[in-house]
Amino acid sequence: WADKAYQGAGGPVRVPFRGSRLKRWKRRHNTTHAKIHCLGERAIATLKGWRLPRKLRCSTNRITNVAKAALVLHHASV
């Protein structure tokens, strides 16, 4: 779920529609896209503020699981 800058990336990258005069269904699509995209952006911003990812020295598979668990705990406490 990328922003408009990744237009033409193709493959699994999803981007919103561009333009100022969009049909109603395209505007709704962009709104839904933005809601999903902001969750990922917020998670990245949260992880950047933590020391944990900078201090981890283990397999990238384990880092993914640790980050998922930490984000779940963070959102449950907020």
Side-chain angles (χ1 to χ4, degrees):
W1 298 94
D3 54 16
K4 291 181 184 177
Y6 290 92
Q7 202 74 27
V13 179
R14 300 200 178 205
V15 294
F17 292 103
R18 295 177 91 171
S20 58
R21 295 183 182 177
L22 297 175
K23 294 184 179 187
R24 186 177 295 143
W25 72 269
K26 286 185 178 183
R27 286 195 311 258
R28 275 197 314 262
H29 177 273
N30 282 356
T31 301
T32 305
H33 181 92
K35 288 178 182 178
I36 295 169
H37 178 72
C38 78
L39 294 174
E41 290 289 328
R42 183 70 185 155
I44 291 168
T46 301
L47 285 173
K48 282 184 175 181
W50 293 350
R51 282 185 166 179
L52 180 67
R54 286 181 257 152
K55 300 275 184 184
L56 285 175
R57 300 290 183 256
C58 60
S59 164
T60 54
N61 294 333
R62 296 178 97 186
I63 291 173
T64 301
N65 291 331
V66 169
K68 285 180 186 178
L71 282 171
V72 167
L73 292 173
H74 172 73
H75 288 297
S77 68
V78 173

Coordinates of all heavy atoms in Angstrom, one line a residue:
W1 N 0.9 -1.2 0.0 CA 0.0 0.0 0.0 C 0.9 1.2 0.0 O 1.3 1.7 1.1 CB -0.9 0.0 1.2 CG -1.8 -1.2 1.2 CD1 -1.6 -2.4 1.8 CD2 -3.1 -1.3 0.5 NE1 -2.7 -3.3 1.6 CE2 -3.5 -2.6 0.8 CE3 -3.8 -0.5 -0.3 CZ2 -4.7 -3.1 0.2 CZ3 -5.0 -1.0 -0.8 CH2 -5.5 -2.2 -0.5
A2 N 1.2 1.7 -1.2 CA 2.1 2.8 -1.3 C 1.4 4.1 -1.6 O 0.2 4.1 -1.8 CB 3.1 2.6 -2.5
D3 N 2.1 5.2 -1.6 CA 1.5 6.5 -1.9 C 1.6 6.8 -3.4 O 2.1 6.0 -4.2 CB 2.1 7.6 -1.1 CG 3.6 7.7 -1.2 OD1 4.1 7.2 -2.2 OD2 4.2 8.4 -0.4
K4 N 1.1 7.9 -3.9 CA 1.1 8.3 -5.3 C 2.4 8.3 -6.0 O 2.6 8.3 -7.2 CB 0.3 9.6 -5.5 CG -1.1 9.5 -5.2 CD -1.8 10.8 -5.4 CE -3.3 10.7 -5.0 NZ -4.0 12.0 -5.2
A5 N 3.5 8.5 -5.2 CA 4.8 8.6 -5.8 C 5.3 7.3 -6.4 O 6.2 7.3 -7.3 CB 5.8 9.0 -4.7
Y6 N 4.7 6.2 -6.1 CA 5.1 4.9 -6.6 C 4.3 4.5 -7.8 O 4.2 3.3 -8.1 CB 5.0 3.8 -5.5 CG 6.0 3.9 -4.5 CD1 5.8 4.7 -3.3 CD2 7.3 3.4 -4.6 CE1 6.7 4.9 -2.3 CE2 8.2 3.5 -3.6 CZ 8.0 4.3 -2.5 OH 8.9 4.4 -1.5
Q7 N 3.7 5.4 -8.5 CA 2.8 5.1 -9.7 C 3.7 4.4 -10.7 O 4.8 4.7 -11.0 CB 2.4 6.5 -10.3 CG 1.2 6.3 -11.1 CD -0.1 6.1 -10.3 OE1 -0.2 6.5 -9.2 NE2 -1.1 5.5 -10.9
G8 N 3.1 3.3 -11.2 CA 3.8 2.5 -12.2 C 4.7 1.4 -11.6 O 5.5 0.8 -12.4
A9 N 4.8 1.2 -10.3 CA 5.7 0.3 -9.7 C 5.2 -1.2 -10.1 O 6.1 -2.0 -10.2 CB 5.7 0.4 -8.2
G10 N 3.9 -1.4 -10.2 CA 3.5 -2.7 -10.7 C 3.6 -3.8 -9.6 O 4.0 -3.5 -8.5
G11 N 3.3 -5.0 -10.0 CA 3.4 -6.1 -9.0 C 2.5 -5.9 -7.8 O 1.3 -5.5 -8.0
P12 N 3.0 -6.3 -6.7 CA 2.1 -6.3 -5.5 C 2.0 -4.8 -4.9 O 1.2 -4.7 -3.9 CB 2.9 -7.2 -4.5 CG 4.3 -7.0 -4.9 CD 4.3 -6.9 -6.4
V13 N 2.6 -3.9 -5.5 CA 2.5 -2.5 -4.9 C 1.2 -1.9 -5.4 O 0.9 -1.8 -6.6 CB 3.7 -1.6 -5.5 CG1 3.6 -0.2 -4.9 CG2 5.0 -2.2 -5.0
R14 N 0.4 -1.4 -4.4 CA -0.9 -0.8 -4.7 C -0.8 0.7 -4.5 O -0.3 1.1 -3.4 CB -1.9 -1.4 -3.8 CG -2.1 -2.9 -4.0 CD -3.4 -3.3 -3.5 NE -3.4 -4.8 -3.8 CZ -4.5 -5.4 -3.9 NH1 -5.6 -4.8 -3.8 NH2 -4.5 -6.7 -4.2
V15 N -1.2 1.5 -5.5 CA -1.2 2.9 -5.4 C -2.6 3.5 -5.6 O -3.4 2.9 -6.3 CB -0.2 3.5 -6.4 CG1 1.3 3.1 -6.1 CG2 -0.5 3.1 -7.8
P16 N -2.8 4.7 -5.1 CA -4.1 5.3 -5.3 C -4.2 5.9 -6.7 O -3.2 6.1 -7.4 CB -4.2 6.4 -4.3 CG -2.8 6.7 -3.9 CD -2.0 5.4 -4.1
F17 N -5.4 6.3 -7.1 CA -5.6 6.9 -8.4 C -5.1 8.3 -8.4 O -5.2 9.0 -7.3 CB -7.1 6.9 -8.8 CG -7.6 5.5 -9.1 CD1 -8.4 4.8 -8.2 CD2 -7.3 4.9 -10.3 CE1 -8.8 3.6 -8.5 CE2 -7.8 3.6 -10.6 CZ -8.5 2.9 -9.7
R18 N -4.6 8.8 -9.5 CA -4.1 10.2 -9.5 C -5.1 11.1 -10.3 O -5.9 10.6 -11.2 CB -2.8 10.3 -10.2 CG -1.7 9.6 -9.5 CD -0.4 9.6 -10.2 NE 0.3 10.8 -9.8 CZ 1.6 11.1 -10.1 NH1 2.2 10.2 -10.9 NH2 2.2 12.1 -9.7
G19 N -5.1 12.4 -10.1 CA -5.9 13.3 -10.9 C -6.8 14.1 -9.9 O -7.0 13.8 -8.8
S20 N -7.3 15.2 -10.5 CA -8.1 16.1 -9.7 C -9.6 15.9 -9.9 O -10.4 16.1 -9.0 CB -7.8 17.6 -10.0 OG -8.0 17.8 -11.4
R21 N -10.0 15.4 -11.1 CA -11.4 15.1 -11.4 C -11.6 13.6 -11.4 O -11.7 13.0 -12.5 CB -11.8 15.7 -12.7 CG -11.7 17.2 -12.6 CD -12.2 17.8 -13.9 NE -12.0 19.3 -13.9 CZ -12.3 20.0 -14.9 NH1 -12.7 19.5 -16.1 NH2 -12.2 21.3 -14.8
L22 N -11.7 13.0 -10.3 CA -11.9 11.5 -10.2 C -13.4 11.2 -10.1 O -14.1 12.0 -9.4 CB -11.1 10.9 -9.1 CG -9.6 11.1 -9.1 CD1 -9.0 10.5 -7.9 CD2 -9.1 10.3 -10.3
K23 N -13.8 10.1 -10.6 CA -15.1 9.6 -10.4 C -15.3 9.2 -8.9 O -14.3 9.0 -8.2 CB -15.4 8.4 -11.3 CG -15.4 8.7 -12.7 CD -15.8 7.5 -13.6 CE -15.8 7.9 -15.0 NZ -16.3 6.9 -15.9
R24 N -16.6 9.2 -8.5 CA -16.9 8.9 -7.1 C -16.3 7.6 -6.6 O -15.7 7.6 -5.5 CB -18.4 8.9 -6.9 CG -18.8 8.8 -5.4 CD -20.2 8.8 -5.2 NE -20.7 10.2 -5.6 CZ -21.9 10.4 -6.2 NH1 -22.7 9.3 -6.5 NH2 -22.3 11.6 -6.5
W25 N -16.3 6.5 -7.4 CA -15.8 5.3 -6.9 C -14.3 5.3 -6.8 O -13.7 4.7 -5.9 CB -16.2 4.1 -7.8 CG -15.6 4.1 -9.2 CD1 -16.0 4.6 -10.3 CD2 -14.4 3.4 -9.5 NE1 -15.2 4.4 -11.4 CE2 -14.1 3.6 -10.9 CE3 -13.4 2.6 -8.8 CZ2 -13.0 3.1 -11.6 CZ3 -12.3 2.1 -9.5 CH2 -12.1 2.4 -10.9
K26 N -13.6 6.1 -7.6 CA -12.1 6.3 -7.5 C -11.8 7.1 -6.2 O -10.8 6.8 -5.6 CB -11.6 6.9 -8.7 CG -11.5 6.0 -9.9 CD -10.8 6.6 -11.1 CE -10.8 5.7 -12.3 NZ -10.0 6.3 -13.4
R27 N -12.6 8.1 -5.9 CA -12.3 8.9 -4.7 C -12.5 8.0 -3.5 O -11.8 8.0 -2.5 CB -13.3 10.1 -4.6 CG -12.9 11.2 -5.6 CD -13.6 12.5 -5.2 NE -15.0 12.3 -5.1 CZ -15.9 12.7 -6.0 NH1 -15.5 13.2 -7.1 NH2 -17.2 12.5 -5.7
R28 N -13.6 7.1 -3.5 CA -13.8 6.2 -2.4 C -12.7 5.2 -2.3 O -12.2 4.9 -1.2 CB -15.1 5.4 -2.6 CG -16.3 6.2 -2.1 CD -17.5 5.3 -1.9 NE -17.8 4.4 -3.1 CZ -18.6 4.6 -4.1 NH1 -19.3 5.7 -4.1 NH2 -18.7 3.7 -5.0
H29 N -12.2 4.7 -3.4 CA -11.0 3.8 -3.4 C -9.8 4.5 -2.8 O -9.1 3.9 -2.0 CB -10.7 3.4 -4.8 CG -9.5 2.5 -4.9 ND1 -8.2 3.0 -5.0 CD2 -9.4 1.2 -4.9 CE1 -7.4 2.0 -5.1 NE2 -8.1 0.9 -5.0
N30 N -9.6 5.8 -3.1 CA -8.4 6.5 -2.6 C -8.6 6.7 -1.1 O -7.6 6.6 -0.3 CB -8.3 7.8 -3.3 CG -7.6 7.7 -4.6 OD1 -7.2 6.6 -5.0 ND2 -7.5 8.8 -5.4
T31 N -9.8 6.9 -0.6 CA -10.0 7.1 0.8 C -9.7 5.8 1.6 O -9.1 5.8 2.6 CB -11.5 7.5 1.1 OG1 -11.7 8.8 0.4 CG2 -11.8 7.7 2.5
T32 N -10.2 4.7 1.1 CA -10.0 3.4 1.7 C -8.5 3.1 1.6 O -7.9 2.6 2.6 CB -10.8 2.3 1.0 OG1 -12.1 2.7 0.9 CG2 -10.6 1.0 1.6
H33 N -7.9 3.4 0.5 CA -6.4 3.2 0.4 C -5.6 4.0 1.4 O -4.7 3.5 2.1 CB -6.0 3.5 -1.0 CG -4.5 3.3 -1.3 ND1 -4.0 2.2 -1.8 CD2 -3.5 4.1 -1.1 CE1 -2.7 2.3 -1.9 NE2 -2.3 3.5 -1.5
A34 N -6.0 5.2 1.6 CA -5.3 6.1 2.6 C -5.5 5.6 4.0 O -4.6 5.6 4.8 CB -5.9 7.5 2.5
K35 N -6.7 5.0 4.3 CA -6.9 4.5 5.7 C -6.0 3.3 6.0 O -5.5 3.1 7.1 CB -8.4 4.1 5.9 CG -9.3 5.3 6.0 CD -10.7 4.8 6.1 CE -11.7 6.0 6.2 NZ -13.1 5.6 6.2
I36 N -5.8 2.5 5.0 CA -4.9 1.3 5.1 C -3.5 1.7 5.1 O -2.7 1.3 5.9 CB -5.2 0.3 4.0 CG1 -6.6 -0.3 4.2 CG2 -4.2 -0.9 4.1 CD1 -7.1 -1.1 3.0
H37 N -3.1 2.6 4.2 CA -1.7 3.1 4.1 C -1.3 3.8 5.4 O -0.1 3.6 5.8 CB -1.6 4.1 2.9 CG -0.3 4.7 2.7 ND1 0.8 3.9 2.2 CD2 0.2 5.9 2.9 CE1 1.8 4.7 2.2 NE2 1.5 5.9 2.6
C38 N -2.1 4.5 6.0 CA -1.7 5.3 7.2 C -1.4 4.3 8.4 O -0.6 4.7 9.2 CB -2.8 6.3 7.6 SG -4.2 5.7 8.5
L39 N -2.0 3.2 8.4 CA -1.7 2.2 9.5 C -0.3 1.7 9.4 O 0.4 1.7 10.4 CB -2.7 1.0 9.4 CG -4.1 1.3 9.7 CD1 -4.9 0.0 9.5 CD2 -4.3 1.7 11.1
G40 N 0.2 1.4 8.2 CA 1.5 1.0 8.0 C 2.5 2.2 8.3 O 3.6 2.0 8.9
E41 N 2.2 3.4 7.8 CA 3.0 4.5 8.1 C 3.2 4.8 9.6 O 4.2 5.1 10.1 CB 2.5 5.8 7.4 CG 2.6 5.8 5.9 CD 4.0 5.9 5.4 OE1 4.8 6.6 6.1 OE2 4.3 5.3 4.4
R42 N 2.0 4.7 10.3 CA 2.0 4.9 11.8 C 2.9 3.8 12.5 O 3.6 4.1 13.4 CB 0.6 4.9 12.3 CG 0.5 5.1 13.7 CD 0.8 6.6 14.0 NE 0.8 6.8 15.4 CZ 1.4 7.7 16.0 NH1 2.2 8.6 15.4 NH2 1.4 7.9 17.3
A43 N 2.8 2.6 12.0 CA 3.6 1.5 12.6 C 5.1 1.7 12.4 O 5.9 1.6 13.3 CB 3.2 0.1 12.0
I44 N 5.4 2.2 11.2 CA 6.8 2.4 11.0 C 7.3 3.6 11.8 O 8.4 3.6 12.4 CB 7.1 2.7 9.5 CG1 6.8 1.4 8.7 CG2 8.4 3.3 9.2 CD1 6.7 1.7 7.2
A45 N 6.5 4.6 11.9 CA 6.9 5.8 12.8 C 7.1 5.4 14.2 O 8.0 5.8 14.9 CB 5.9 6.9 12.6
T46 N 6.2 4.5 14.7 CA 6.3 4.0 16.1 C 7.6 3.2 16.3 O 8.3 3.4 17.3 CB 5.1 3.2 16.4 OG1 3.9 3.9 16.3 CG2 5.1 2.6 17.9
L47 N 7.9 2.3 15.3 CA 9.1 1.5 15.5 C 10.3 2.3 15.4 O 11.3 2.0 16.1 CB 9.1 0.4 14.4 CG 8.1 -0.7 14.6 CD1 8.2 -1.6 13.3 CD2 8.5 -1.5 15.8
K48 N 10.3 3.4 14.6 CA 11.5 4.3 14.5 C 11.8 5.0 15.8 O 13.0 5.3 16.1 CB 11.3 5.3 13.4 CG 11.5 4.7 12.0 CD 11.4 5.8 11.0 CE 11.7 5.3 9.6 NZ 11.7 6.4 8.6
G49 N 10.8 5.2 16.6 CA 11.0 5.9 17.9 C 11.5 5.0 19.0 O 11.9 5.4 20.1
W50 N 11.5 3.7 18.8 CA 12.0 2.7 19.8 C 13.4 2.4 19.6 O 14.0 2.4 18.5 CB 11.2 1.4 19.7 CG 9.7 1.5 20.0 CD1 9.1 2.6 20.6 CD2 8.7 0.6 19.8 NE1 7.7 2.3 20.7 CE2 7.5 1.1 20.2 CE3 8.7 -0.7 19.3 CZ2 6.3 0.4 20.2 CZ3 7.6 -1.4 19.2 CH2 6.4 -0.9 19.7
R51 N 14.0 2.0 20.7 CA 15.4 1.5 20.7 C 15.5 0.1 20.3 O 16.6 -0.4 19.8 CB 16.1 1.6 22.1 CG 16.5 3.0 22.5 CD 17.2 2.9 23.8 NE 17.9 4.1 24.1 CZ 18.5 4.3 25.2 NH1 18.6 3.4 26.1 NH2 19.2 5.5 25.3
L52 N 14.5 -0.7 20.5 CA 14.5 -2.1 20.3 C 15.0 -2.5 18.9 O 16.0 -3.4 18.8 CB 13.1 -2.7 20.5 CG 12.9 -4.2 20.3 CD1 13.7 -5.0 21.4 CD2 11.5 -4.6 20.3
P53 N 14.5 -2.0 17.8 CA 15.1 -2.4 16.5 C 16.5 -2.1 16.3 O 17.2 -2.8 15.6 CB 14.2 -1.7 15.5 CG 13.0 -1.3 16.2 CD 13.4 -1.1 17.6
R54 N 17.0 -1.1 16.9 CA 18.5 -0.8 16.8 C 19.4 -1.7 17.6 O 20.5 -1.9 17.2 CB 18.7 0.7 17.2 CG 18.2 1.7 16.2 CD 18.4 3.1 16.6 NE 17.2 3.6 17.2 CZ 17.0 4.5 18.1 NH1 18.1 5.1 18.6 NH2 15.8 4.9 18.5
K55 N 18.8 -2.3 18.6 CA 19.6 -3.1 19.5 C 19.6 -4.6 19.2 O 20.4 -5.4 19.6 CB 19.2 -2.9 20.9 CG 19.3 -1.5 21.5 CD 20.7 -1.3 22.0 CE 20.7 0.2 22.6 NZ 22.0 0.5 23.0
L56 N 18.6 -5.0 18.3 CA 18.4 -6.4 18.0 C 19.6 -7.0 17.2 O 20.0 -6.3 16.2 CB 17.1 -6.7 17.3 CG 15.9 -6.6 18.2 CD1 14.6 -6.8 17.3 CD2 15.9 -7.7 19.2
R57 N 20.1 -8.1 17.5 CA 21.1 -8.8 16.8 C 20.8 -10.2 16.6 O 21.3 -11.1 17.2 CB 22.5 -8.7 17.5 CG 23.0 -7.3 17.8 CD 23.4 -6.6 16.5 NE 23.9 -5.3 16.7 CZ 23.3 -4.2 16.5 NH1 22.0 -4.2 16.0 NH2 23.8 -3.0 16.7
C58 N 19.7 -10.5 15.8 CA 19.3 -11.8 15.5 C 18.8 -11.9 14.1 O 18.9 -11.0 13.3 CB 18.2 -12.2 16.5 SG 16.7 -11.2 16.5
S59 N 18.3 -13.1 13.8 CA 17.7 -13.3 12.4 C 16.6 -12.4 12.1 O 15.8 -12.0 12.9 CB 17.2 -14.8 12.4 OG 16.4 -15.0 11.3
T60 N 16.5 -12.0 10.8 CA 15.5 -11.1 10.3 C 14.1 -11.7 10.5 O 13.1 -11.0 10.7 CB 15.7 -10.7 8.9 OG1 15.8 -11.8 8.1 CG2 16.9 -9.8 8.7
N61 N 14.0 -13.0 10.4 CA 12.7 -13.7 10.7 C 12.3 -13.4 12.1 O 11.1 -13.2 12.4 CB 12.8 -15.2 10.4 CG 13.1 -15.5 9.0 OD1 12.7 -14.7 8.1 ND2 13.7 -16.6 8.7
R62 N 13.2 -13.5 13.0 CA 12.8 -13.3 14.4 C 12.5 -11.8 14.7 O 11.6 -11.5 15.5 CB 14.0 -13.7 15.3 CG 14.2 -15.2 15.2 CD 15.3 -15.6 16.1 NE 14.8 -16.1 17.4 CZ 15.5 -16.5 18.4 NH1 16.8 -16.4 18.3 NH2 14.9 -16.9 19.5
I63 N 13.2 -10.9 14.0 CA 13.0 -9.4 14.2 C 11.5 -9.1 13.8 O 10.8 -8.3 14.4 CB 14.0 -8.6 13.4 CG1 15.4 -8.7 14.0 CG2 13.6 -7.1 13.4 CD1 16.5 -8.1 13.3
T64 N 11.1 -9.7 12.7 CA 9.7 -9.5 12.2 C 8.7 -9.9 13.3 O 7.8 -9.2 13.6 CB 9.4 -10.3 10.9 OG1 10.4 -9.9 10.0 CG2 8.0 -10.0 10.4
N65 N 8.9 -11.1 13.9 CA 8.0 -11.5 14.9 C 8.0 -10.7 16.2 O 7.0 -10.4 16.8 CB 8.2 -13.0 15.3 CG 7.9 -13.9 14.1 OD1 7.0 -13.6 13.4 ND2 8.6 -15.0 14.0
V66 N 9.2 -10.2 16.6 CA 9.4 -9.4 17.7 C 8.7 -8.0 17.4 O 8.0 -7.5 18.3 CB 10.9 -9.1 18.0 CG1 11.1 -8.0 19.1 CG2 11.5 -10.4 18.6
A67 N 8.9 -7.5 16.2 CA 8.2 -6.2 15.9 C 6.7 -6.3 15.9 O 6.0 -5.4 16.4 CB 8.7 -5.7 14.5
K68 N 6.2 -7.4 15.4 CA 4.7 -7.6 15.4 C 4.2 -7.7 16.8 O 3.2 -7.1 17.1 CB 4.4 -8.9 14.6 CG 4.5 -8.9 13.2 CD 4.1 -10.2 12.6 CE 4.3 -10.3 11.1 NZ 4.0 -11.6 10.5
A69 N 4.9 -8.4 17.6 CA 4.4 -8.6 19.0 C 4.5 -7.2 19.8 O 3.6 -6.9 20.5 CB 5.3 -9.6 19.7
A70 N 5.6 -6.5 19.5 CA 5.7 -5.2 20.2 C 4.6 -4.2 19.8 O 4.1 -3.5 20.6 CB 7.1 -4.6 19.9
L71 N 4.3 -4.2 18.5 CA 3.3 -3.3 18.0 C 1.9 -3.7 18.6 O 1.1 -2.8 18.9 CB 3.2 -3.3 16.5 CG 4.3 -2.5 15.8 CD1 4.3 -2.7 14.3 CD2 4.1 -1.0 16.1
V72 N 1.6 -5.0 18.7 CA 0.3 -5.4 19.3 C 0.3 -5.0 20.7 O -0.7 -4.4 21.2 CB 0.2 -7.0 19.1 CG1 -1.0 -7.5 20.0 CG2 0.0 -7.4 17.7
L73 N 1.3 -5.2 21.5 CA 1.4 -4.7 22.9 C 1.2 -3.2 23.0 O 0.6 -2.7 23.9 CB 2.6 -5.2 23.6 CG 2.7 -6.7 23.7 CD1 4.1 -7.1 24.3 CD2 1.6 -7.2 24.7
H74 N 1.9 -2.5 22.1 CA 1.8 -1.0 22.1 C 0.4 -0.6 21.9 O -0.1 0.3 22.6 CB 2.8 -0.5 21.0 CG 2.6 1.0 20.9 ND1 3.1 1.9 21.8 CD2 2.1 1.7 19.9 CE1 2.8 3.1 21.4 NE2 2.2 3.0 20.2
H75 N -0.3 -1.1 20.8 CA -1.6 -0.7 20.5 C -2.6 -1.1 21.6 O -3.6 -0.5 21.8 CB -2.0 -1.2 19.1 CG -1.3 -0.4 18.0 ND1 -1.5 0.9 17.8 CD2 -0.4 -0.8 17.1 CE1 -0.7 1.3 16.8 NE2 -0.1 0.2 16.4
A76 N -2.3 -2.3 22.3 CA -3.2 -2.7 23.3 C -3.1 -1.8 24.5 O -4.1 -1.6 25.3 CB -2.9 -4.1 23.7
S77 N -2.0 -1.2 24.8 CA -1.8 -0.4 25.9 C -2.2 1.1 25.7 O -2.4 1.8 26.6 CB -0.3 -0.3 26.3 OG 0.5 0.3 25.3
V78 N -2.4 1.5 24.4 CA -2.8 2.8 24.1 C -4.3 3.0 24.2 O -5.2 2.5 24.3 CB -2.3 3.3 22.7 CG1 -2.9 4.6 22.3 CG2 -0.8 3.3 22.7

